[in-house]
Amino acid sequence: MSFNVLIVDDSNSIRSVIKKILNISGFRVDNCYEAGNGRQALDVLSKEWVDIILSDIHMPEMDGFELLKELHRHDVYTNIPVIMISTEGNESRIRDAYDLGAKGFIKKPFLPEELKKTLCEVIGVGDEGEYPTDTDECDF
Amino acid sequence: MKENTRQILMNAIFEVFEKMFFIFLEPVENTNNRYDHISSIDFEGRMKGGLSIKFSRKMAEMMARNMLGCEKDEITDHVLADCAKEAANMVCGNFLRKMSRDEIFKLGLPRYALRGRGEQEDMLPPAGADHITLSFKAESEEETLQLKFFGSNYD
């Protein structure tokens, strides 16, 4: 099974790094869409089917928290799992993200393994408690 | 206590550069290098202040090359600006998290300027403001950066 992924971050560099990690981690990505903020992400979602969203919090125009609220307002988007990837990683901000429906949280800076592990957890690989190790390939 | 802040800043920049740019920084007293790029970010919360990082061109190129895995001819000014802004963003966010796990800080959007082009005075510590300066080099004396941190109530 392969997935359509939407990466939301105002930094081109971070979007490129995440795409690269997805590729080298063995994730089967059908389409990888990109958006520079929450507004652009909603625009992508109105046109394309997306299985998982990786989103920054701190972005111009519409930030990651506003995006989570918008997703929650639309029945068709509310079940799309969202992983937040942010420099803002204090406990209360992480709680806020989960309260708004995020399924995972990764703090920048991050290692490729952290992204891979969280993705596998959120997508459901390793539900038996066996999460991939650094050397495991997470094969969806 | 200022020494504590200095150490936390060091830890924050080491972690960001090792994880995201695969660069192992070495603290130096000072460098005579010219800094061609500057990025900065402001924050508000229990402390209010900002952080700026000046990069030599070689350092900025190394960051872009390592982070994005691109060749030298693929590194545009836009790529350098994006990497420099993201570095300031991650170092500041990481530093504030290390200072306090529970407090909320509001980060501004990172800004960037080329030396002599678009550089704003408010990207640097205000004149006379108490601040911390840290200088680093990477593999050679040409790859250098200088971080300046300033803030109220940061002791």
Side-chain angles (χ1 to χ4, degrees):
Chain A
M1 190 176 175
S2 53
F3 290 80
N4 287 347
V5 180
L6 170 58
I7 303 169
V8 192
D9 199 305
D10 55 332
S11 163
N12 282 326
S13 306
I14 293 292
R15 295 202 304 267
S16 297
V17 166
I18 293 172
K19 268 201 294 187
K20 203 157 279 178
I21 293 171
L22 291 176
N23 287 335
I24 62 171
S25 296
F27 288 101
R28 293 195 184 142
V29 177
D30 247 357
N31 294 293
C32 191
Y33 304 108
E34 295 182 41
N37 58 51
R39 181 82 53 212
Q40 289 176 13
L42 291 172
D43 196 38
V44 171
L45 289 168
S46 70
K47 296 172 195 152
E48 310 290 349
W49 177 260
V50 167
D51 299 295
I52 186 160
I53 299 171
L54 305 171
S55 178
D56 188 13
I57 293 176
H58 196 52
M59 294 178 287
E61 284 191 56
M62 181 187 281
D63 68 23
F65 283 160
E66 289 173 273
L67 174 62
L68 283 171
K69 287 178 196 163
E70 280 298 316
L71 296 175
H72 202 60
R73 279 196 203 111
H74 296 82
D75 286 346
V76 70
Y77 304 146
T78 199
N79 290 322
I80 302 174
V82 183
I83 296 173
M84 308 308 286
I85 303 178
S86 178
T87 53
E88 297 188 34
N90 67 45
E91 299 301 323
S92 63
R93 293 293 269 178
I94 294 173
R95 267 197 309 276
D96 289 346
Y98 280 107
D99 288 347
L100 287 170
K103 300 294 182 207
F105 199 106
I106 298 168
K107 296 174 193 172
K108 291 181 194 170
F110 56 87
L111 290 169
E113 295 78 27
E114 295 170 52
L115 175 58
K116 186 175 156 184
K117 184 179 176 214
T118 307
L119 260 171
C120 290
E121 287 172 352
V122 169
I123 293 288
V125 177
D127 273 345
E128 306 302 315
E130 286 181 29
Y131 292 118
T133 63
D134 292 355
T135 52
D136 285 338
E137 182 171 277
C138 179
D139 190 1
F140 291 168
Chain B
M1 289 298 278
K2 190 171 175 179
E3 196 49 45
N4 184 44
T5 304
R6 178 183 287 270
Q7 190 56 54
I8 294 171
L9 271 171
M10 296 259 261
N11 294 343
I13 196 167
F14 285 152
E15 188 180 1
V16 168
F17 273 69
E18 286 172 23
K19 282 188 174 178
M20 300 305 289
F21 301 109
F22 312 108
I23 293 173
F24 293 86
L25 295 174
E26 184 184 325
V28 289
E29 278 301 309
N30 210 337
T31 66
N32 296 319
N33 262 355
R34 202 179 90 146
Y35 292 106
D36 297 294
H37 307 266
I38 180 169
S39 60
S40 73
I41 189 163
D42 299 328
F43 61 87
E44 281 182 27
R46 177 173 63 84
M47 289 187 294
K48 182 179 176 185
L51 179 149
S52 66
I53 308 178
K54 289 179 173 180
F55 308 87
S56 69
R57 178 155 189 98
K58 293 269 185 193
M59 174 65 94
E61 286 174 352
M62 186 189 217
M63 289 161 62
R65 222 171 35 240
N66 288 6
M67 187 186 197
L68 304 173
C70 52
E71 298 299 324
K72 194 172 179 184
D73 58 0
E74 295 174 297
I75 300 172
T76 62
D77 285 348
H78 185 76
V79 168
L80 294 177
D82 199 47
C83 284
K85 282 198 293 186
E86 199 52 35
N89 183 35
M90 286 190 287
V91 171
C92 190
N94 197 15
F95 163 74
L96 293 171
R97 279 206 312 267
K98 290 180 189 302
M99 285 292 279
S100 171
R101 284 169 60 87
D102 299 319
E103 287 190 61
I104 295 176
F105 290 95
K106 187 179 168 199
L107 285 172
L109 290 171
R111 292 179 295 159
Y112 166 84
L114 264 174
R115 180 190 162 98
R117 273 197 276 160
E119 191 175 333
Q120 304 291 315
E121 277 197 12
D122 62 359
M123 293 178 81
L124 294 169
D130 192 16
H131 66 275
I132 293 172
T133 301
L134 300 171
S135 300
F136 301 90
K137 76 178 182 76
E139 288 170 9
S140 79
E141 304 294 333
E142 291 183 321
E143 291 133 2
T144 55
L145 68 83
Q146 189 174 68
L147 177 151
K148 286 184 190 285
F149 168 82
F150 55 102
S152 59
N153 311 321
Y154 78 88
D155 63 356

Coordinates of all heavy atoms in Angstrom, one line a residue, chain B residues 15-91:
Chain B
E15 N 23.2 21.0 18.9 CA 22.2 20.0 18.5 C 21.6 20.3 17.2 O 21.5 19.4 16.3 CB 21.1 20.0 19.6 CG 20.2 18.8 19.4 CD 19.0 18.7 20.4 OE1 19.0 19.5 21.3 OE2 18.2 17.8 20.3
V16 N 21.3 21.5 16.9 CA 20.7 21.9 15.6 C 21.7 21.6 14.5 O 21.3 21.0 13.5 CB 20.2 23.4 15.6 CG1 19.9 23.8 14.2 CG2 19.0 23.6 16.5
F17 N 22.9 22.0 14.6 CA 23.9 21.9 13.6 C 24.2 20.4 13.3 O 24.5 20.0 12.2 CB 25.1 22.8 13.8 CG 24.9 24.1 13.2 CD1 23.9 25.0 13.8 CD2 25.5 24.5 12.0 CE1 23.7 26.2 13.2 CE2 25.2 25.8 11.4 CZ 24.3 26.6 12.0
E18 N 24.3 19.6 14.4 CA 24.6 18.2 14.2 C 23.5 17.5 13.6 O 23.7 16.7 12.7 CB 25.0 17.6 15.6 CG 26.4 18.0 16.1 CD 26.7 17.6 17.5 OE1 26.1 16.6 18.0 OE2 27.5 18.3 18.1
K19 N 22.3 17.7 14.1 CA 21.1 16.9 13.6 C 20.7 17.3 12.2 O 20.3 16.5 11.4 CB 19.9 17.0 14.5 CG 20.1 16.2 15.8 CD 18.8 16.2 16.6 CE 18.8 15.2 17.7 NZ 17.5 15.3 18.5
M20 N 20.6 18.6 11.9 CA 20.0 19.1 10.7 C 21.0 19.4 9.6 O 20.7 19.4 8.4 CB 19.1 20.4 10.9 CG 18.0 20.1 11.9 SD 16.9 18.8 11.5 CE 16.0 19.4 10.1
F21 N 22.2 19.8 10.0 CA 23.2 20.3 9.0 C 24.4 19.3 9.0 O 25.3 19.5 8.1 CB 23.7 21.7 9.3 CG 22.5 22.7 9.2 CD1 22.1 23.3 10.4 CD2 21.9 23.0 8.0 CE1 21.0 24.2 10.3 CE2 20.9 23.9 8.0 CZ 20.4 24.5 9.1
F22 N 24.5 18.4 9.9 CA 25.6 17.4 10.0 C 26.9 18.2 10.1 O 27.9 17.8 9.4 CB 25.6 16.5 8.8 CG 24.2 15.9 8.5 CD1 23.4 16.2 7.5 CD2 23.7 15.0 9.5 CE1 22.2 15.7 7.3 CE2 22.4 14.4 9.3 CZ 21.7 14.8 8.2
I23 N 26.9 19.2 10.8 CA 28.1 20.0 11.0 C 28.5 20.0 12.5 O 27.6 20.3 13.4 CB 27.9 21.5 10.6 CG1 27.7 21.5 9.0 CG2 29.0 22.4 11.0 CD1 27.3 22.9 8.5
F24 N 29.7 19.7 12.8 CA 30.2 19.7 14.2 C 30.9 21.0 14.5 O 32.0 21.2 14.0 CB 31.0 18.5 14.5 CG 30.2 17.2 14.4 CD1 30.0 16.6 13.2 CD2 29.6 16.7 15.6 CE1 29.2 15.4 13.2 CE2 28.8 15.6 15.5 CZ 28.6 14.9 14.3
L25 N 30.3 21.9 15.2 CA 30.8 23.2 15.4 C 31.9 23.2 16.5 O 31.8 22.4 17.5 CB 29.7 24.2 15.8 CG 28.7 24.5 14.8 CD1 27.6 25.4 15.4 CD2 29.3 25.2 13.5
E26 N 32.8 24.1 16.4 CA 33.9 24.2 17.4 C 33.9 25.6 17.8 O 34.0 26.6 17.0 CB 35.2 23.8 16.7 CG 36.4 23.8 17.7 CD 37.7 23.5 17.0 OE1 37.7 22.8 16.1 OE2 38.7 24.1 17.4
P27 N 33.7 25.8 19.2 CA 33.7 27.2 19.6 C 35.1 27.9 19.4 O 36.1 27.2 19.6 CB 33.4 27.1 21.1 CG 32.9 25.7 21.3 CD 33.5 24.9 20.2
V28 N 35.1 29.1 19.0 CA 36.4 29.9 18.9 C 36.2 31.2 19.6 O 35.1 31.7 19.8 CB 36.7 30.1 17.4 CG1 37.2 28.8 16.8 CG2 35.6 30.7 16.6
E29 N 37.3 31.8 19.9 CA 37.3 33.1 20.6 C 36.6 34.2 19.7 O 35.7 34.9 20.0 CB 38.7 33.6 21.0 CG 39.1 32.9 22.3 CD 38.2 33.3 23.5 OE1 37.9 34.4 23.7 OE2 37.8 32.3 24.1
N30 N 37.2 34.2 18.5 CA 36.6 35.2 17.5 C 37.1 34.7 16.1 O 38.0 33.9 16.0 CB 37.1 36.6 17.8 CG 36.0 37.6 17.4 OD1 35.2 37.3 16.5 ND2 36.0 38.8 18.0
T31 N 36.6 35.3 15.1 CA 37.1 35.0 13.8 C 37.3 36.3 13.1 O 36.6 37.3 13.3 CB 36.1 34.1 13.0 OG1 34.9 34.9 12.8 CG2 35.7 32.9 13.7
N32 N 38.2 36.3 12.1 CA 38.4 37.5 11.3 C 37.6 37.4 10.0 O 37.8 38.3 9.2 CB 39.9 37.7 11.0 CG 40.6 37.9 12.3 OD1 40.2 38.6 13.2 ND2 41.8 37.2 12.4
N33 N 36.8 36.4 9.9 CA 36.0 36.3 8.7 C 35.0 37.3 8.5 O 34.5 37.9 9.4 CB 35.3 34.9 8.7 CG 36.0 33.9 8.0 OD1 37.1 34.1 7.4 ND2 35.5 32.7 8.0
R34 N 34.7 37.5 7.2 CA 33.6 38.4 6.8 C 32.4 37.6 6.9 O 32.3 36.5 6.4 CB 33.8 38.9 5.4 CG 33.1 40.2 5.1 CD 33.4 40.6 3.7 NE 32.4 40.0 2.8 CZ 32.0 40.6 1.7 NH1 32.5 41.8 1.4 NH2 31.1 40.1 0.9
Y35 N 31.3 38.2 7.4 CA 30.0 37.5 7.5 C 29.1 38.0 6.4 O 28.9 39.2 6.3 CB 29.4 37.6 8.8 CG 30.1 36.9 9.9 CD1 30.9 37.6 10.9 CD2 30.1 35.5 10.0 CE1 31.6 37.0 11.9 CE2 30.8 34.9 11.0 CZ 31.6 35.6 11.9 OH 32.3 34.9 12.9
D36 N 28.7 37.1 5.5 CA 28.0 37.6 4.3 C 26.4 37.4 4.5 O 25.7 38.0 3.8 CB 28.4 36.7 3.1 CG 29.8 36.9 2.8 OD1 30.2 38.0 2.4 OD2 30.6 36.0 3.0
H37 N 26.0 36.6 5.4 CA 24.6 36.3 5.6 C 24.2 36.6 7.1 O 25.0 36.2 8.0 CB 24.2 34.9 5.2 CG 24.7 34.5 3.9 ND1 24.0 34.6 2.7 CD2 25.9 34.0 3.5 CE1 24.7 34.2 1.7 NE2 25.9 33.9 2.1
I38 N 23.0 37.1 7.3 CA 22.6 37.2 8.7 C 21.1 36.8 8.7 O 20.3 37.1 7.8 CB 22.7 38.6 9.2 CG1 22.2 38.7 10.7 CG2 22.1 39.7 8.4 CD1 22.6 40.0 11.4
S39 N 20.8 36.0 9.7 CA 19.3 35.7 10.0 C 19.0 36.0 11.4 O 19.9 36.0 12.3 CB 19.0 34.2 9.7 OG 19.8 33.4 10.5
S40 N 17.8 36.3 11.7 CA 17.4 36.7 13.1 C 16.0 36.3 13.4 O 15.2 36.1 12.5 CB 17.7 38.2 13.3 OG 16.6 38.9 12.7
I41 N 15.7 36.2 14.6 CA 14.3 35.9 15.1 C 14.1 36.5 16.4 O 15.0 36.6 17.3 CB 14.1 34.3 15.1 CG1 12.7 34.0 15.3 CG2 15.0 33.6 16.1 CD1 12.3 32.5 14.9
D42 N 12.9 37.0 16.6 CA 12.5 37.6 17.9 C 11.6 36.6 18.7 O 11.0 35.8 18.1 CB 11.8 38.9 17.7 CG 12.6 39.9 17.0 OD1 13.8 39.9 17.2 OD2 12.0 40.7 16.2
F43 N 11.6 36.8 20.0 CA 10.7 36.0 20.8 C 10.1 36.8 22.0 O 10.7 37.8 22.4 CB 11.4 34.7 21.3 CG 12.6 35.0 22.2 CD1 12.4 35.2 23.6 CD2 13.8 35.1 21.7 CE1 13.5 35.5 24.4 CE2 14.9 35.4 22.5 CZ 14.7 35.6 23.8
E44 N 9.0 36.4 22.4 CA 8.3 37.0 23.6 C 7.8 36.0 24.5 O 7.4 34.9 24.1 CB 7.1 37.8 23.1 CG 7.4 39.2 22.5 CD 6.2 39.9 22.1 OE1 5.1 39.7 22.8 OE2 6.2 40.7 21.2
G45 N 7.8 36.3 25.8 CA 7.3 35.4 26.8 C 7.9 35.9 28.2 O 7.9 37.1 28.4
R46 N 8.2 35.0 29.0 CA 8.9 35.4 30.3 C 10.1 36.3 30.0 O 10.4 37.2 30.7 CB 9.2 34.2 31.1 CG 9.9 34.5 32.4 CD 10.2 33.3 33.3 NE 11.0 32.3 32.6 CZ 12.4 32.4 32.7 NH1 13.0 33.3 33.3 NH2 13.1 31.4 32.1
M47 N 10.8 35.8 29.0 CA 11.9 36.6 28.4 C 11.4 37.2 27.1 O 10.6 36.6 26.4 CB 13.1 35.8 28.1 CG 13.9 35.2 29.3 SD 15.4 34.4 28.6 CE 14.7 33.1 27.7
K48 N 12.0 38.4 26.8 CA 11.7 39.0 25.5 C 13.0 39.4 24.9 O 13.9 39.9 25.6 CB 10.8 40.2 25.7 CG 10.4 40.9 24.4 CD 9.5 42.1 24.7 CE 9.2 42.8 23.4 NZ 8.5 44.0 23.6
G49 N 13.2 39.0 23.7 CA 14.5 39.3 23.0 C 14.6 38.8 21.7 O 13.6 38.6 20.9
G50 N 15.8 38.5 21.3 CA 16.1 38.0 19.9 C 17.4 37.3 19.8 O 18.2 37.3 20.7
L51 N 17.5 36.7 18.7 CA 18.8 35.9 18.4 C 19.1 36.1 17.0 O 18.2 36.1 16.1 CB 18.5 34.4 18.7 CG 19.5 33.4 18.5 CD1 19.3 32.2 19.5 CD2 19.5 32.8 17.1
S52 N 20.4 36.4 16.7 CA 20.8 36.6 15.3 C 22.0 35.7 15.1 O 22.8 35.5 16.0 CB 21.1 38.1 15.0 OG 22.2 38.5 15.8
I53 N 22.1 35.3 13.9 CA 23.3 34.5 13.5 C 23.9 35.0 12.2 O 23.1 35.2 11.2 CB 22.9 33.0 13.3 CG1 22.2 32.4 14.5 CG2 24.2 32.2 13.1 CD1 21.7 30.9 14.3
K54 N 25.2 35.3 12.2 CA 25.9 35.7 11.0 C 26.7 34.6 10.5 O 27.3 33.9 11.3 CB 26.8 36.9 11.3 CG 26.1 38.2 11.6 CD 27.2 39.2 12.0 CE 26.6 40.6 12.1 NZ 27.7 41.6 12.4
F55 N 26.6 34.3 9.2 CA 27.3 33.2 8.6 C 28.3 33.7 7.6 O 28.0 34.6 6.8 CB 26.3 32.3 7.8 CG 25.1 31.9 8.6 CD1 24.0 32.6 8.7 CD2 25.2 30.7 9.3 CE1 22.9 32.2 9.4 CE2 24.1 30.2 10.1 CZ 22.9 31.0 10.1
S56 N 29.5 33.1 7.5 CA 30.4 33.3 6.4 C 29.7 32.6 5.2 O 28.9 31.6 5.3 CB 31.8 32.7 6.6 OG 31.7 31.3 6.6
R57 N 30.1 33.0 4.0 CA 29.5 32.4 2.8 C 29.8 30.9 2.8 O 28.9 30.1 2.4 CB 30.0 33.1 1.5 CG 29.4 32.4 0.3 CD 29.3 33.3 -0.9 NE 28.6 32.6 -2.0 CZ 27.3 32.7 -2.2 NH1 26.6 33.6 -1.5 NH2 26.7 32.1 -3.2
K58 N 31.0 30.5 3.1 CA 31.4 29.1 3.1 C 30.5 28.3 4.1 O 30.2 27.2 3.8 CB 32.9 29.0 3.4 CG 33.8 29.5 2.4 CD 34.2 28.5 1.4 CE 35.2 29.0 0.4 NZ 35.4 28.2 -0.8
M59 N 30.3 28.9 5.2 CA 29.5 28.2 6.2 C 28.0 28.0 5.7 O 27.5 26.9 5.8 CB 29.4 28.9 7.5 CG 28.5 28.4 8.6 SD 29.0 26.7 9.1 CE 29.9 27.1 10.6
A60 N 27.5 29.1 5.1 CA 26.1 29.0 4.6 C 26.0 27.9 3.5 O 25.1 27.1 3.4 CB 25.6 30.3 4.1
E61 N 27.0 27.9 2.6 CA 27.1 26.9 1.6 C 27.2 25.5 2.1 O 26.5 24.6 1.6 CB 28.2 27.2 0.6 CG 28.0 28.4 -0.3 CD 29.2 28.7 -1.1 OE1 30.3 28.2 -0.9 OE2 29.0 29.6 -2.0
M62 N 28.0 25.3 3.1 CA 28.1 24.0 3.7 C 26.8 23.5 4.3 O 26.4 22.4 4.2 CB 29.2 24.0 4.8 CG 29.6 22.7 5.4 SD 30.7 23.0 6.8 CE 31.8 21.6 6.6
M63 N 26.1 24.4 5.0 CA 24.8 24.1 5.6 C 23.8 23.6 4.5 O 23.2 22.6 4.7 CB 24.3 25.3 6.3 CG 25.0 25.7 7.6 SD 24.7 27.4 8.1 CE 22.9 27.3 8.4
A64 N 23.8 24.4 3.4 CA 22.8 24.1 2.4 C 23.2 22.7 1.7 O 22.3 21.9 1.5 CB 22.8 25.2 1.3
R65 N 24.5 22.5 1.5 CA 24.9 21.3 0.9 C 24.6 20.1 1.7 O 24.1 19.1 1.3 CB 26.5 21.4 0.7 CG 27.0 20.9 -0.6 CD 28.4 21.2 -0.9 NE 29.3 21.2 0.2 CZ 30.0 22.2 0.7 NH1 29.9 23.4 0.0 NH2 30.8 22.1 1.7
N66 N 24.9 20.2 3.0 CA 24.7 19.1 3.9 C 23.2 18.8 4.2 O 22.8 17.7 4.2 CB 25.4 19.3 5.3 CG 26.9 19.2 5.1 OD1 27.4 19.1 4.0 ND2 27.6 19.3 6.3
M67 N 22.5 19.9 4.4 CA 21.0 19.7 4.7 C 20.2 19.2 3.5 O 19.4 18.3 3.7 CB 20.4 21.0 5.2 CG 19.0 20.9 5.7 SD 18.4 22.6 6.0 CE 17.0 22.2 7.1
L68 N 20.5 19.7 2.4 CA 19.7 19.4 1.2 C 20.4 18.3 0.3 O 19.7 17.8 -0.7 CB 19.4 20.6 0.4 CG 18.7 21.7 1.2 CD1 18.5 23.0 0.4 CD2 17.3 21.2 1.7
G69 N 21.6 18.0 0.5 CA 22.3 17.1 -0.3 C 22.5 17.6 -1.7 O 22.4 16.8 -2.7
C70 N 22.6 18.9 -1.9 CA 22.7 19.4 -3.3 C 24.1 19.7 -3.6 O 25.0 19.9 -2.8 CB 21.8 20.6 -3.5 SG 22.0 21.9 -2.2
E71 N 24.4 19.9 -4.9 CA 25.7 20.2 -5.4 C 25.9 21.7 -5.3 O 24.9 22.5 -5.2 CB 25.8 19.8 -6.9 CG 25.7 18.3 -7.1 CD 26.8 17.5 -6.4 OE1 27.9 18.0 -6.3 OE2 26.5 16.4 -5.9
K72 N 27.1 22.1 -5.4 CA 27.4 23.6 -5.3 C 26.7 24.4 -6.3 O 26.2 25.5 -5.9 CB 28.9 23.8 -5.4 CG 29.3 25.2 -4.9 CD 30.8 25.3 -4.9 CE 31.2 26.8 -4.4 NZ 32.6 27.1 -4.5
D73 N 26.5 23.9 -7.5 CA 25.9 24.8 -8.5 C 24.3 24.8 -8.4 O 23.7 25.6 -9.1 CB 26.2 24.3 -10.0 CG 25.9 22.9 -10.2 OD1 25.4 22.2 -9.3 OD2 26.2 22.4 -11.3
E74 N 23.8 24.0 -7.4 CA 22.4 24.1 -7.2 C 22.0 25.0 -6.0 O 20.9 25.2 -5.7 CB 21.9 22.7 -6.8 CG 22.0 21.6 -7.9 CD 21.6 20.2 -7.4 OE1 22.3 19.7 -6.6 OE2 20.6 19.7 -7.9
I75 N 23.1 25.5 -5.4 CA 22.9 26.4 -4.2 C 22.6 27.8 -4.7 O 23.6 28.5 -5.1 CB 24.1 26.3 -3.2 CG1 24.2 24.9 -2.8 CG2 23.8 27.2 -2.1 CD1 25.5 24.7 -1.9
T76 N 21.4 28.3 -4.6 CA 21.1 29.6 -5.0 C 21.0 30.5 -3.8 O 21.0 30.0 -2.6 CB 19.7 29.6 -5.7 OG1 18.7 29.2 -4.7 CG2 19.6 28.7 -6.9
D77 N 20.9 31.8 -4.0 CA 20.8 32.7 -2.8 C 19.5 32.4 -2.1 O 19.5 32.6 -0.8 CB 20.7 34.2 -3.4 CG 22.1 34.7 -3.8 OD1 23.1 34.0 -3.4 OD2 22.2 35.7 -4.4
H78 N 18.5 32.0 -2.8 CA 17.2 31.7 -2.1 C 17.4 30.5 -1.2 O 16.9 30.5 0.0 CB 16.1 31.3 -3.2 CG 14.8 31.1 -2.6 ND1 14.0 32.1 -2.1 CD2 14.1 30.0 -2.3 CE1 12.9 31.6 -1.6 NE2 12.9 30.3 -1.7
V79 N 18.2 29.5 -1.6 CA 18.4 28.3 -0.8 C 19.2 28.7 0.5 O 18.9 28.3 1.6 CB 19.2 27.2 -1.6 CG1 19.7 26.1 -0.7 CG2 18.3 26.6 -2.6
L80 N 20.2 29.6 0.3 CA 21.1 30.0 1.4 C 20.2 30.8 2.4 O 20.3 30.6 3.6 CB 22.2 30.9 0.9 CG 23.3 30.2 0.0 CD1 24.3 31.3 -0.5 CD2 24.0 29.1 0.8
A81 N 19.3 31.6 1.9 CA 18.5 32.4 2.8 C 17.5 31.5 3.6 O 17.4 31.7 4.8 CB 17.6 33.4 2.0
D82 N 17.0 30.5 2.9 CA 16.1 29.6 3.6 C 16.8 28.8 4.7 O 16.2 28.6 5.8 CB 15.4 28.7 2.5 CG 14.2 28.0 3.0 OD1 13.3 28.7 3.5 OD2 14.1 26.8 2.9
C83 N 17.9 28.3 4.4 CA 18.7 27.5 5.4 C 19.1 28.4 6.6 O 19.0 28.0 7.7 CB 20.0 27.0 4.8 SG 19.7 25.5 3.7
A84 N 19.5 29.7 6.3 CA 19.9 30.6 7.3 C 18.7 30.9 8.3 O 18.8 30.9 9.5 CB 20.5 31.8 6.7
K85 N 17.6 31.2 7.7 CA 16.4 31.5 8.5 C 16.0 30.3 9.3 O 15.6 30.4 10.5 CB 15.2 31.9 7.5 CG 15.3 33.3 7.0 CD 14.0 33.8 6.5 CE 13.5 33.1 5.2 NZ 12.3 33.6 4.6
E86 N 16.0 29.1 8.7 CA 15.6 27.9 9.4 C 16.6 27.6 10.6 O 16.2 27.1 11.6 CB 15.5 26.7 8.5 CG 14.7 25.5 9.0 CD 13.3 25.9 9.5 OE1 12.7 26.8 8.9 OE2 12.9 25.3 10.5
A87 N 17.8 27.9 10.4 CA 18.8 27.7 11.4 C 18.5 28.6 12.6 O 18.5 28.2 13.8 CB 20.2 28.0 10.9
A88 N 18.2 29.9 12.4 CA 17.9 30.8 13.5 C 16.6 30.3 14.2 O 16.5 30.3 15.4 CB 17.7 32.2 12.9
N89 N 15.6 29.9 13.4 CA 14.3 29.4 13.9 C 14.6 28.2 14.9 O 14.1 28.2 16.0 CB 13.4 29.1 12.8 CG 12.0 28.6 13.2 OD1 11.5 29.1 14.2 ND2 11.5 27.7 12.5
M90 N 15.3 27.3 14.4 CA 15.5 26.0 15.2 C 16.4 26.3 16.4 O 16.1 25.7 17.5 CB 16.1 24.9 14.3 CG 15.1 24.3 13.3 SD 15.7 22.9 12.5 CE 16.9 23.6 11.3
V91 N 17.4 27.1 16.2 CA 18.3 27.3 17.4 C 17.5 28.1 18.5 O 17.6 27.7 19.7 CB 19.6 28.1 17.0 CG1 20.4 28.6 18.2 CG2 20.5 27.3 16.1

